[in-house]
Amino acid sequence: MAAVLSRRALNRATLARQMLLARRKASVVQAIEKLAGLQAQAPNPPYVGLWSRLEGFHRAQLTDALKNRRIVRMSTLRATLHLMTASDAWAWRPLLEPVHQRGLSGLHARALEGVDRAAVVKAGRALLGDGPLTGTALGQALAARWKDHAPASLAALIRNNVPLVHLPPAGSWNSHQNALLQPLGAWLGDATAGIATATQDDLLLRYLAAFGPATLADAGAWSGLTGWKAVAERLRPQLRVFAGDEGQELFDLPRAPRPDPDTPAPPRLVAEWDNLLLSHADRRRVLDEAHRARVFTINGIVRGTVLLDGFVAGSWKIERATRTATVVLEPFVRWSAADRRGVEEEALRLLAFATDAEDAGGERHAVRVLSPA
């Protein structure tokens, strides 16, 4: 009989692997590799995500890694923007082609009806071979030839068939300009030599190292890929198998950390769109279903969250006014006095991290705690 892991045991195992039980000493590249990428839908959340996980992290460390091509921002898992190490981006992106092809459904599929897709992709590659372009400029250039098709859908066809890097400064702290796009191979150049394409077996092992123990449905939710049952059967002899508290089969690496469920978990402010909330089909290991609608909004935002005792207990955001920055905390449940002090201290540390050097001496920092709804 497989050993049973409680929801709390899954929580502590996941937090340990996500570096949220204790901040770690690691480089940006080491951390992003261990985390199997960081969701990067907006520029600032990955910086906050690393701040919440690493000792002594400074924003320049990630910015420099992007500029130096050790970390790239591009569409990978779930056909969404992630920060990946250069080697993982190169190895994983071919495996994720089916996910990107599914991204051309709906409006884009209708807009591309009747078009010779191979010809458009060839033309897009040629345009990008002449130099980086924004998605808008790429779509407009293609529409000059395919006049009856929407520029945005033509650009989407290229993005979903050609691995494209968002060139820095796009994706760096407070940068909100339209990204220049360049094919991954052109951006990385000789750095890709000797890097083999990953297999789905490789991907499952990396997923479990970062997010396990987990079900095969969890692996599918994280990656967007299907076909995990055959992968798990091939790897079963080298995996440990547990049961969840509802009888579900959980796979894990034999030597991966599984801390005692009573291991203390300090207060943490988790970034918007953080991997912690986006990498399992069943998110109850960190997020009670009763709170889901307060985190995942109807307009597609995944709010920054407060972890207390390892579980989502509220949300946070930064509000700025003239010479003042305030972290607004919204509890989902009533916090104890000690929990409130711990969260407020963490919030002030976040403001110190997020303050630009020129404001460090003149910006007032504050924390406001709303009443629980």
Side-chain angles (χ1 to χ4, degrees):
M1 294 291 290
V4 176
L5 294 178
S6 67
R7 195 167 300 166
R8 190 176 179 86
L10 291 177
N11 173 274
R12 292 309 194 255
T14 304
L15 293 182
R17 298 174 208 197
Q18 285 291 300
M19 309 182 194
L20 290 167
L21 278 183
R23 285 182 166 92
R24 305 279 185 84
K25 292 182 179 179
S27 71
V28 164
V29 174
Q30 289 169 335
I32 292 177
E33 180 178 42
K34 182 174 179 60
L35 295 167
L38 275 176
Q39 177 100 1
Q41 206 70 11
N44 290 3
Y47 287 82
V48 176
L50 289 171
W51 166 82
S52 68
R53 291 168 164 92
L54 297 180
E55 284 188 15
F57 172 67
H58 299 285
R59 286 159 20 200
Q61 294 171 288
L62 177 53
T63 301
D64 289 345
L66 288 164
K67 290 178 179 177
N68 295 333
R69 311 183 192 206
R70 291 174 291 152
I71 300 296
V72 296
R73 184 189 194 220
M74 61 181 294
S75 177
T76 55
L77 302 160
R78 305 183 298 282
T80 55
L81 289 175
H82 278 72
L83 298 187
M84 309 286 292
T85 65
S87 57
D88 280 346
W90 185 257
W92 293 14
R93 184 56 170 78
L95 190 64
L96 296 165
E97 281 304 309
V99 185
H100 288 82
Q101 293 307 312
R102 290 200 302 272
L104 288 169
S105 59
L107 289 175
H108 287 317
R110 290 192 290 274
L112 293 169
E113 285 180 2
V115 76
D116 183 340
R117 294 191 177 196
V120 175
V121 171
K122 182 178 179 180
R125 288 184 183 275
L127 288 165
L128 291 164
D130 292 334
L133 292 169
T134 65
T136 299
L138 177 61
Q140 290 171 344
L142 292 167
R145 178 173 170 185
W146 285 274
K147 300 181 186 300
D148 296 331
H149 299 277
S153 294
L154 292 168
L157 179 60
I158 307 306
R159 286 197 303 270
N160 283 275
N161 282 274
V162 182
L164 297 176
V165 177
H166 287 217
L167 302 189
S172 55
W173 183 263
N174 275 346
S175 176
H176 298 285
Q177 65 197 73
N178 290 333
L180 285 170
L181 307 176
Q182 186 174 44
L184 177 63
W187 177 244
L188 296 182
D190 293 340
T192 62
I195 302 175
T197 298
T199 67
Q200 201 163 340
D201 293 24
D202 299 328
L203 218 57
L204 182 59
L205 296 175
R206 289 288 300 280
Y207 171 67
L208 294 176
F211 296 101
T215 67
L216 301 184
D218 291 329
W222 167 73
S223 64
L225 289 168
T226 59
W228 290 105
K229 184 175 181 180
V231 174
E233 291 309 315
R234 284 196 298 272
L235 294 177
R236 188 179 287 271
Q238 65 190 80
L239 298 175
R240 281 205 64 181
V241 181
F242 297 93
D245 55 11
E246 295 176 348
Q248 68 273 35
E249 194 171 43
L250 296 160
F251 295 89
D252 203 9
L253 305 181
R255 297 183 180 180
R258 287 178 290 275
D260 187 292
D262 292 326
T263 301
R268 286 284 184 261
L269 299 186
V270 175
E272 296 170 287
W273 288 288
D274 197 274
N275 295 32
L276 182 69
L277 296 175
L278 293 168
S279 300
H280 297 89
D282 183 351
R283 299 182 174 96
R284 290 177 296 171
R285 68 180 64 202
V286 291
L287 175 64
D288 191 299
E289 280 297 313
H291 305 321
R292 181 186 176 96
R294 302 177 73 174
V295 175
F296 292 82
T297 69
I298 58 174
N299 57 351
I301 301 297
V302 181
R303 300 174 70 188
T305 53
V306 177
L307 297 186
L308 285 175
D309 191 29
F311 293 88
V312 172
S315 66
W316 66 269
K317 63 181 177 180
I318 295 178
E319 291 184 349
R320 293 188 180 274
T322 304
R323 311 302 297 166
T324 301
T326 303
V327 175
V328 180
L329 300 167
E330 181 182 351
F332 295 165
V333 296
R334 191 165 297 279
W335 298 348
S336 71
D339 283 341
R340 176 169 173 153
R341 284 194 301 272
V343 176
E344 288 177 340
E345 290 169 0
E346 189 77 346
L348 288 172
R349 286 189 284 268
L350 173 61
L351 287 174
F353 167 79
T355 298
D356 292 325
E358 59 268 23
D359 293 328
E363 185 177 71
R364 188 176 74 88
H365 291 169
V367 179
R368 184 167 81 251
V369 183
L370 304 180
S371 297

